[in-house]
Amino acid sequence: MKLDLKTSPPPITLFSDDAENIAKLLNLDPSKNKPTQIRRFYDELVGWQERIGTDEQKFKDYAAFIHMLNAKAAYAQGRKLVTQEFADWLRGCIAQIDSPRTLNHFRLHFEAMLGFLKFIKKDE
């Protein structure tokens, strides 16, 4: 699924249908992509967003660190904690982050996806 984080305003389904569909995709292997594991990536992303705010220069200063989440996802995938689908989704979204605005769009999408994932996994 190709998401569009660059459109302003964001697509109407980014925080609803798109987030739910990603959560369903990430639940294909219920033994992986546990909400607590995925939450670690979200928490780190939120930390970077809080440091950056709406400051374009700070975004430029920290962009490489945001992209390092891809390496962390690859490591988690190697340890069989997350799936290829999670790593691909994260990589695709991070590739679109080019400003504080797109970072915020991704954070909100990620937050919505986490809510759906937690709901889906509640009975497991």
Side-chain angles (χ1 to χ4, degrees):
M1 165 182 276
K2 176 74 171 137
L3 299 173
D4 183 4
L5 301 175
K6 293 186 177 188
T7 304
S8 189
I12 196 165
T13 59
L14 186 63
F15 311 131
S16 57
D17 296 344
D18 295 346
E20 184 175 14
N21 290 335
I22 294 298
K24 288 176 182 174
L25 177 70
L26 297 185
N27 195 47
L28 292 178
D29 183 348
S31 69
K32 297 178 184 170
N33 299 330
K34 301 281 187 199
T36 52
Q37 180 66 34
I38 302 303
R39 180 77 191 211
R40 291 178 186 166
F41 289 91
Y42 172 75
D43 289 344
E44 184 168 342
L45 184 73
V46 167
W48 290 119
Q49 192 209 14
E50 287 174 350
R51 285 181 191 95
I52 293 166
T54 58
D55 188 317
E56 291 286 340
Q57 185 55 52
K58 282 185 180 179
F59 174 79
K60 290 175 186 171
D61 293 343
Y62 293 126
F65 297 100
I66 295 166
H67 281 258
M68 189 173 167
L69 283 169
N70 289 321
K72 292 179 179 187
Y75 177 76
Q77 185 183 358
R79 295 193 60 219
K80 301 188 183 333
L81 298 172
V82 301
T83 60
Q84 179 72 47
E85 290 81 9
F86 174 77
D88 290 347
W89 167 76
L90 187 70
R91 182 177 299 280
C93 290
I94 288 175
Q96 293 185 62
I97 298 173
D98 61 1
S99 67
R101 181 182 52 78
T102 54
L103 175 59
N104 188 51
H105 287 177
F106 179 46
R107 183 196 56 86
L108 292 170
H109 168 73
F110 202 150
E111 180 180 340
M113 185 280 295
L114 265 178
F116 284 114
L117 186 63
K118 187 71 172 172
F119 176 77
I120 290 166
K121 289 187 174 282
K122 74 179 180 342
D123 295 327
E124 294 175 8

